Amino acid sequence: MRIDTLPVGLVRAAAIAAVMVLGLTAGAASAADNDKPAQRNDGGVAIKLPQSPPMMPVDIGYLREEVAGPRPASRLDVEPDNAGIAGAEMGIKENNAGGRFMGHLYGLDVETASSPEEAVDALKKLYESGHNYIVVDASAPTLLKLSDWAADKDILLFNIRAEDVSLRQEDCRANVMHVVPDRYMLADALAQYLVKMGWTDWLVVHGSTDADKAYRDAVLRAAERFGGNIVDDREYVDVSGGRRDGVGPIPPAKPHKEANASHQMVKATDYDVIVVADEDQIFGPLMPYRGGGQPRVVAGTTGLTATTWSRGHEKWGATQANNNFEKANDRLMLPIDHMAYVATRTIGEAVTRKPKNDFDTVSAFIHGPDLQLAPFKGIKQQFRPWDGQFRQPILIATEQVPVSVSPQKGFPHASHPEIEVDTLGIDEPESKCKM
């Protein structure tokens, strides 16, 4: 049958099929053949397929300090082995989803250390193998040693663990970006919500560690800033080797001398909230269910907490993020995972915007006002220029669900009134940071 006698539709269909077959043939050619000029045979069609850009590796380091700590009251508070790392891997996956179109191939390399000295050796290893961007899960002293070693090198560190205020103040460093909020930000976020609810009288109970005392100090500062009233401030002293069943009572007021170990009653003081400062979760989860005390809301490091992430968070794309994370890791996302995710996504966003991956240019972009991230909290987020702290809303949540998001409305500030999140933590006029 002659082609010119076929219906027009069939002619077009035959032509499209021929082109598809030829296209598949061309796509199966070797890379060497693809580099050659397109050839046309008599009566044939040659198709030149576009080539993928050459892939530029962007290797990200992950440095985790592993040190023995006190056993929490609940085994549910023990972090899984891949805590943080799993979040970084989720960020790497998202970076590669877009990076392949820009010619960037992201990878994650993990190093562990058990001391500041080992951490510096691990950082040296990562740097010498081509890693300029390092996610750091370590204590404040170790982070400072890493920063000092990296001072004259093309290295940018992303702090996802250390909440110490001093790291954003007198000990701030230009080569450290703080993804994790400091204690002032967390205490301010919680205080705003408590005051907004009208719960202004607080009984503060803190542990005896330096971290617990630091969080207690942050709570006292937040009360003064936002209108909280500290009705009493008591210390819970954990006795090493003591009976686990003895953990948990609210300690008596200091003048209350007649209290004993078996029946610790609080003095007749009224309060709206028990604010707990127990960062290692030694006694906080058991309060106020043992010992005396009034049945009141428990907040702080247990109960109603200020946190960067909640397993029950479902707004602004968080449901999909939690589902994807759970599918990949057979567990729910923790705050440390979310912060590691933000760190790796920060690097991916900056390299995408500055595709030559020149370190000075990428670092300046991360420090500057043009970086805009949206990690499932409703607004664009970036780092504060005066201390390297990540600006971010803070979730106010129970163990199961978020109940609010801070900053709360009605707490204005003078320096950046258009940026509500700057009511949380150290504002620019009060900063001691000199980078």
Side-chain angles (χ1 to χ4, degrees), residues 62 82 84-94 108 110 329 340-341 344:
Y62 190 106
N82 68 342
I85 296 173
E89 289 173 341
M90 187 171 87
I92 292 292
K93 184 176 180 180
E94 288 192 19
L108 186 74
V110 179
N329 297 283
Y341 165 82
T344 51

Side-chain angles (χ1 to χ4, degrees), residues 392-412:
Q392 58 182 306
I394 302 296
L395 304 181
I396 308 301
T398 68
E399 178 66 19
Q400 294 180 307
V401 292
V403 298
S404 186
V405 181
S406 286
Q408 304 292 321
K409 299 291 184 182
F411 296 98

Side-chain angles (χ1 to χ4, degrees), residues 207-222:
S208 56
T209 68
D210 289 342
D212 293 342
K213 293 175 181 178
Y215 185 79
R216 183 274 311 268
D217 291 344
V219 170
L220 300 184
R221 171 184 177 271

Side-chain angles (χ1 to χ4, degrees), residues 262-279:
S262 63
H263 191 66
Q264 296 187 18
M265 295 297 295
V266 301
K267 67 178 182 179
T269 301
D270 194 22
Y271 49 87
D272 299 315
V273 180
I274 305 170
V275 180
V276 179
D278 173 29
E279 294 200 353

Side-chain angles (χ1 to χ4, degrees), residues 15-38:
I16 291 172
V19 170
M20 290 176 64
V21 171
L22 289 169
L24 291 173
T25 304
S30 67
D33 291 337
N34 283 338
D35 291 336
K36 297 177 182 179

Side-chain angles (χ1 to χ4, degrees), residues 347-428:
I347 299 162
E349 177 66 16
V351 172
T352 297
R353 296 288 297 274
K354 304 297 177 183
K356 292 183 179 180
N357 195 19
D358 170 69
F359 176 81
D360 289 337
T361 304
V362 171
S363 177
F365 181 80
I366 291 173
H367 281 88
D370 294 330
L371 175 70
Q372 298 287 328
L373 293 176
F376 319 116
K377 289 189 185 177
I379 66 170
K380 298 292 185 181
Q381 298 156 57
Q382 58 187 193
F383 292 89
R384 288 173 177 158
W386 60 86
D387 60 5
Q389 175 65 60
F390 191 56
R391 285 179 168 128
Q392 58 182 306
I394 302 296
L395 304 181
I396 308 301
T398 68
E399 178 66 19
Q400 294 180 307
V401 292
V403 298
S404 186
V405 181
S406 286
Q408 304 292 321
K409 299 291 184 182
F411 296 98
H413 59 107
S415 62
H416 300 90
E418 76 284 2
I419 305 177
E420 288 187 340
V421 290
D422 283 351
T423 63
L424 307 179
I426 304 164
D427 205 358
E428 188 170 15

